[in-house]
Amino acid sequence: MSVDTAAIETVNQSFYTAIEEADLDRMTEVWADDGVDGQVSCVHPGWALLTGRSEVLRSWALIMANTTYIQFVLTDVNTTVLGDVAVLTCVENILTAGEEGDASFAAGKVVASNVYVRTGNGWRLWMHHGSPVLQDEEGEEEEGELEA
């Protein structure tokens, strides 16, 4: 594993730890600043595209304020570094408090793409895109069929 890959995966883990611990300060450190070349962006599963650091961080603050418990187990982590840009893809296996409160839990799966950029302060998150994996009632992933 390269030094860059290790650094990116460390920042990526900080991103998910910030969500789990509802740590907005840590979340703020993880995200890049908007630059002259563009703004950071985020797509939460089922949400519209959010652009701009303040809008993205506001969305995380809302999620953290309204989530009593969440845990991520990341699988299928793949990191590709191309100069000063890196793409990390993974599967987020999510356990969260269910609608019944503390006595119940809900599980879900999201495929995520996280784009990182090298800055003067190290690697920072530039774009997060999460897409839900649909599951049937038994928890099996539904297979999509391509039509010609």
Side-chain angles (χ1 to χ4, degrees):
M1 177 182 302
S2 76
V3 172
D4 283 336
T5 299
I8 292 157
E9 290 181 5
T10 297
V11 174
N12 194 67
Q13 188 56 54
S14 291
F15 170 62
Y16 288 99
T17 299
I19 301 167
E20 290 176 344
E21 297 178 357
D23 186 341
L24 191 56
D25 290 335
R26 180 180 278 182
M27 181 64 72
T28 300
E29 291 174 13
V30 167
W31 280 88
D33 292 324
D34 291 333
V36 293
D37 295 329
Q39 296 181 317
V40 300
S41 63
C42 182
V43 178
H44 299 292
W47 291 34
L49 172 68
L50 303 173
T51 57
R53 182 177 164 86
S54 61
E55 186 174 356
V56 168
L57 290 174
R58 185 172 26 259
S59 74
W60 286 112
L62 288 169
I63 289 169
M64 292 174 185
N66 291 292
T67 303
T68 57
Y69 176 82
I70 192 164
Q71 179 183 1
F72 293 87
V73 175
L74 303 182
T75 57
D76 303 318
V77 176
N78 185 19
T79 305
T80 303
V81 180
L82 302 168
D84 291 336
V85 176
V87 177
L88 185 148
T89 57
C90 63
V91 175
E92 303 171 350
N93 299 279
I94 305 168
L95 183 64
T96 188
E99 294 182 14
E100 308 299 320
D102 293 338
S104 70
F105 291 93
K109 192 179 281 194
V110 171
V111 175
S113 299
N114 296 325
V115 178
Y116 290 89
V117 294
R118 189 189 319 262
T119 71
N121 295 319
W123 291 96
R124 295 294 182 259
L125 187 56
W126 183 254
M127 188 273 300
H128 169 76
H129 185 173
S131 179
V133 176
L134 300 179
Q135 298 179 335
D136 64 19
E137 292 180 19
E138 286 85 37
E140 297 292 322
E141 292 177 21
E142 292 183 9
E143 294 184 27
E145 295 180 1
L146 297 176
E147 295 183 20

